[in-house]
Amino acid sequence: MLLEVDKLTTGYTRVPVLEDVSIAVETGQFVSIVGPNGAGKSTLFKAISGIVTPFSGSIRFEGRDLATVPAEQRPHLGIAHVPEGRQVFASLSVLENLELGAYTQAGRQNWKRNLERIYALMPVLAERRDQLAGTLSGGEQQMVAIGRGLASEPKLLMLDEPSMGLAPAIADFIFEKLIEIRQETKLTILLVEQRVAEALESADRGYVLEAGHVVLEGGVQALRANDRIRQAYLGM
Ligand SMILES: Nc1ncnc2c1ncn2[C@@H]1O[C@H](COP(=O)(O)OP(=O)(O)O)[C@@H](O)[C@H]1O
Ligand SMILES: [Mg+2]
């Protein structure tokens, strides 16, 4: 197992936002976590990347308990967190944004090769390498954010709502890119999404997070056939 979150309870104040949340991600898998706004999806990612601290429960990466690993060390272990809202550096060029992702040991060592791969996967980033990231469209900025994650040469790529704020056609394009990135790089992907149909279509396994609890989990075929998901999330 690459990532194991076991009975995680955490939050920002004393009131827990996540309660007893357990998820597992195997190496090479594409796992989607879906659920409504405010369910705690981003908080789960923040716990995995070390921005919020568990009240109880554990997070293991490659079998190692992350409790004593500070947030700034986790990218070096191979955890890349592409945050909600992209957060690209608007006044830096595309290339400079990608370079900033390559600060990990593996990322520095293989920067040239990784940059070529990123450009091959997302040619628009090569075309616009010298353009300021702030002048790009939302979809292009999302690709910069994904590229920045890839530049760290992660073992686990965590993507928090990459489709947020994008027109449906652009969001579809980003989902297709994720499938392509997965095929080309064999990377393990953990995706958080409100666009449930697309998120479950791309993935192997899924979890439904509601009000801080995992209420359903399983293979995506079973989830897509589930009556509750069909009614609540797929509008059927
Ligand atoms: N920085 C924060 N401080 C306090 N509460 C927060 C903070 N960020 C999120 N929350 C609260 O935690 C809950 C879950 O938020 P979040 O993890 O962002 O949900 P999601 O990503 O599923 O929309 C919400 O009730 C939200 O208001
Ligand atoms: Mg969120």
mmCIF file of all heavy atoms in Angstrom, residues 115-131:
data_model
loop_
_atom_site.group_PDB
_atom_site.id
_atom_site.type_symbol
_atom_site.label_atom_id
_atom_site.label_comp_id
_atom_site.label_asym_id
_atom_site.label_seq_id
_atom_site.Cartn_x
_atom_site.Cartn_y
_atom_site.Cartn_z
ATOM 1 N N LEU A 115 11.108 17.860 -17.289
ATOM 2 C CA LEU A 115 10.558 19.000 -18.015
ATOM 3 C C LEU A 115 10.137 18.579 -19.424
ATOM 4 O O LEU A 115 9.059 18.958 -19.899
ATOM 5 C CB LEU A 115 11.582 20.137 -18.083
ATOM 6 C CG LEU A 115 11.084 21.415 -18.760
ATOM 7 C CD1 LEU A 115 9.938 22.051 -17.960
ATOM 8 C CD2 LEU A 115 12.224 22.429 -18.939
ATOM 9 N N GLU A 116 10.975 17.766 -20.061
ATOM 10 C CA GLU A 116 10.610 17.273 -21.401
ATOM 11 C C GLU A 116 9.323 16.471 -21.361
ATOM 12 O O GLU A 116 8.471 16.592 -22.235
ATOM 13 C CB GLU A 116 11.737 16.394 -21.957
ATOM 14 C CG GLU A 116 12.781 17.196 -22.710
ATOM 15 C CD GLU A 116 13.998 16.363 -23.057
ATOM 16 O OE1 GLU A 116 13.839 15.157 -23.338
ATOM 17 O OE2 GLU A 116 15.108 16.938 -23.022
ATOM 18 N N ARG A 117 9.176 15.646 -20.313
ATOM 19 C CA ARG A 117 7.952 14.840 -20.176
ATOM 20 C C ARG A 117 6.733 15.723 -19.956
ATOM 21 O O ARG A 117 5.664 15.474 -20.500
ATOM 22 C CB ARG A 117 8.088 13.881 -18.992
ATOM 23 C CG ARG A 117 8.952 12.706 -19.318
ATOM 24 C CD ARG A 117 8.880 11.673 -18.220
ATOM 25 N NE ARG A 117 9.792 10.593 -18.520
ATOM 26 C CZ ARG A 117 10.224 9.705 -17.639
ATOM 27 N NH1 ARG A 117 9.792 9.786 -16.389
ATOM 28 N NH2 ARG A 117 11.036 8.755 -17.984
ATOM 29 N N ILE A 118 6.908 16.740 -19.132
ATOM 30 C CA ILE A 118 5.791 17.651 -18.837
ATOM 31 C C ILE A 118 5.370 18.368 -20.129
ATOM 32 O O ILE A 118 4.181 18.482 -20.426
ATOM 33 C CB ILE A 118 6.189 18.657 -17.735
ATOM 34 C CG1 ILE A 118 6.355 17.928 -16.399
ATOM 35 C CG2 ILE A 118 5.165 19.779 -17.617
ATOM 36 C CD1 ILE A 118 7.133 18.716 -15.343
ATOM 37 N N TYR A 119 6.349 18.828 -20.883
ATOM 38 C CA TYR A 119 6.052 19.506 -22.154
ATOM 39 C C TYR A 119 5.412 18.545 -23.153
ATOM 40 O O TYR A 119 4.528 18.944 -23.916
ATOM 41 C CB TYR A 119 7.334 20.106 -22.743
ATOM 42 C CG TYR A 119 7.796 21.394 -22.087
ATOM 43 C CD1 TYR A 119 9.095 21.859 -22.270
ATOM 44 C CD2 TYR A 119 6.931 22.157 -21.304
ATOM 45 C CE1 TYR A 119 9.535 23.049 -21.700
ATOM 46 C CE2 TYR A 119 7.365 23.345 -20.722
ATOM 47 C CZ TYR A 119 8.663 23.785 -20.926
ATOM 48 O OH TYR A 119 9.082 24.962 -20.355
ATOM 49 N N ALA A 120 5.848 17.295 -23.159
ATOM 50 C CA ALA A 120 5.252 16.317 -24.082
ATOM 51 C C ALA A 120 3.800 16.032 -23.710
ATOM 52 O O ALA A 120 2.935 15.889 -24.578
ATOM 53 C CB ALA A 120 6.069 15.030 -24.074
ATOM 54 N N LEU A 121 3.528 15.987 -22.399
ATOM 55 C CA LEU A 121 2.157 15.710 -21.939
ATOM 56 C C LEU A 121 1.249 16.918 -22.134
ATOM 57 O O LEU A 121 0.064 16.781 -22.420
ATOM 58 C CB LEU A 121 2.165 15.329 -20.461
ATOM 59 C CG LEU A 121 2.697 13.933 -20.125
ATOM 60 C CD1 LEU A 121 3.073 13.835 -18.648
ATOM 61 C CD2 LEU A 121 1.667 12.867 -20.480
ATOM 62 N N MET A 122 1.808 18.117 -21.942
ATOM 63 C CA MET A 122 1.012 19.345 -22.019
ATOM 64 C C MET A 122 1.743 20.361 -22.902
ATOM 65 O O MET A 122 2.368 21.309 -22.398
ATOM 66 C CB MET A 122 0.763 19.882 -20.600
ATOM 67 C CG MET A 122 -0.061 18.904 -19.774
ATOM 68 S SD MET A 122 -0.332 19.370 -18.041
ATOM 69 C CE MET A 122 1.245 18.950 -17.313
ATOM 70 N N PRO A 123 1.669 20.157 -24.223
ATOM 71 C CA PRO A 123 2.450 20.982 -25.157
ATOM 72 C C PRO A 123 2.192 22.484 -25.023
ATOM 73 O O PRO A 123 3.089 23.282 -25.311
ATOM 74 C CB PRO A 123 1.993 20.478 -26.532
ATOM 75 C CG PRO A 123 1.464 19.110 -26.289
ATOM 76 C CD PRO A 123 0.894 19.121 -24.910
ATOM 77 N N VAL A 124 1.018 22.847 -24.537
ATOM 78 C CA VAL A 124 0.713 24.272 -24.402
ATOM 79 C C VAL A 124 1.679 24.934 -23.403
ATOM 80 O O VAL A 124 1.995 26.126 -23.521
ATOM 81 C CB VAL A 124 -0.773 24.495 -24.009
ATOM 82 C CG1 VAL A 124 -1.051 24.011 -22.590
ATOM 83 C CG2 VAL A 124 -1.176 25.956 -24.152
ATOM 84 N N LEU A 125 2.173 24.164 -22.461
ATOM 85 C CA LEU A 125 3.121 24.709 -21.482
ATOM 86 C C LEU A 125 4.469 25.011 -22.136
ATOM 87 O O LEU A 125 5.158 25.962 -21.750
ATOM 88 C CB LEU A 125 3.306 23.760 -20.301
ATOM 89 C CG LEU A 125 2.054 23.464 -19.470
ATOM 90 C CD1 LEU A 125 2.415 22.605 -18.264
ATOM 91 C CD2 LEU A 125 1.357 24.736 -19.030
ATOM 92 N N ALA A 126 4.827 24.202 -23.129
ATOM 93 C CA ALA A 126 6.071 24.472 -23.872
ATOM 94 C C ALA A 126 5.905 25.730 -24.718
ATOM 95 O O ALA A 126 6.767 26.605 -24.733
ATOM 96 C CB ALA A 126 6.422 23.276 -24.744
ATOM 97 N N GLU A 127 4.749 25.823 -25.366
ATOM 98 C CA GLU A 127 4.483 27.006 -26.207
ATOM 99 C C GLU A 127 4.511 28.291 -25.382
ATOM 100 O O GLU A 127 4.932 29.339 -25.857
ATOM 101 C CB GLU A 127 3.096 26.899 -26.854
ATOM 102 C CG GLU A 127 3.025 25.913 -28.000
ATOM 103 C CD GLU A 127 1.572 25.508 -28.282
ATOM 104 O OE1 GLU A 127 0.654 26.335 -28.055
ATOM 105 O OE2 GLU A 127 1.364 24.350 -28.703
ATOM 106 N N ARG A 128 4.020 28.197 -24.163
ATOM 107 C CA ARG A 128 3.890 29.402 -23.329
ATOM 108 C C ARG A 128 4.919 29.460 -22.215
ATOM 109 O O ARG A 128 4.706 30.122 -21.202
ATOM 110 C CB ARG A 128 2.474 29.440 -22.729
ATOM 111 C CG ARG A 128 1.391 29.475 -23.799
ATOM 112 C CD ARG A 128 0.028 29.654 -23.217
ATOM 113 N NE ARG A 128 -1.003 29.556 -24.244
ATOM 114 C CZ ARG A 128 -1.418 30.563 -24.974
ATOM 115 N NH1 ARG A 128 -0.893 31.756 -24.796
ATOM 116 N NH2 ARG A 128 -2.351 30.391 -25.884
ATOM 117 N N ARG A 129 6.031 28.818 -22.379
ATOM 118 C CA ARG A 129 7.000 28.685 -21.276
ATOM 119 C C ARG A 129 7.454 30.030 -20.712
ATOM 120 O O ARG A 129 7.731 30.143 -19.523
ATOM 121 C CB ARG A 129 8.204 27.834 -21.707
ATOM 122 C CG ARG A 129 9.123 28.482 -22.727
ATOM 123 C CD ARG A 129 10.175 27.491 -23.191
ATOM 124 N NE ARG A 129 9.622 26.617 -24.234
ATOM 125 C CZ ARG A 129 10.208 25.517 -24.679
ATOM 126 N NH1 ARG A 129 11.348 25.128 -24.158
ATOM 127 N NH2 ARG A 129 9.664 24.816 -25.639
ATOM 128 N N ASP A 130 7.562 31.062 -21.567
ATOM 129 C CA ASP A 130 8.060 32.363 -21.099
ATOM 130 C C ASP A 130 6.954 33.338 -20.723
ATOM 131 O O ASP A 130 7.221 34.464 -20.315
ATOM 132 C CB ASP A 130 8.952 32.986 -22.175
ATOM 133 C CG ASP A 130 10.174 32.128 -22.445
ATOM 134 O OD1 ASP A 130 10.733 31.591 -21.452
ATOM 135 O OD2 ASP A 130 10.556 31.956 -23.613
ATOM 136 N N GLN A 131 5.712 32.892 -20.888
ATOM 137 C CA GLN A 131 4.574 33.770 -20.565
ATOM 138 C C GLN A 131 4.327 33.770 -19.053
ATOM 139 O O GLN A 131 4.509 32.746 -18.386
ATOM 140 C CB GLN A 131 3.344 33.235 -21.306
ATOM 141 C CG GLN A 131 2.242 34.253 -21.461
ATOM 142 C CD GLN A 131 1.176 33.758 -22.444
ATOM 143 O OE1 GLN A 131 1.490 33.175 -23.482
ATOM 144 N NE2 GLN A 131 -0.079 33.972 -22.090
#
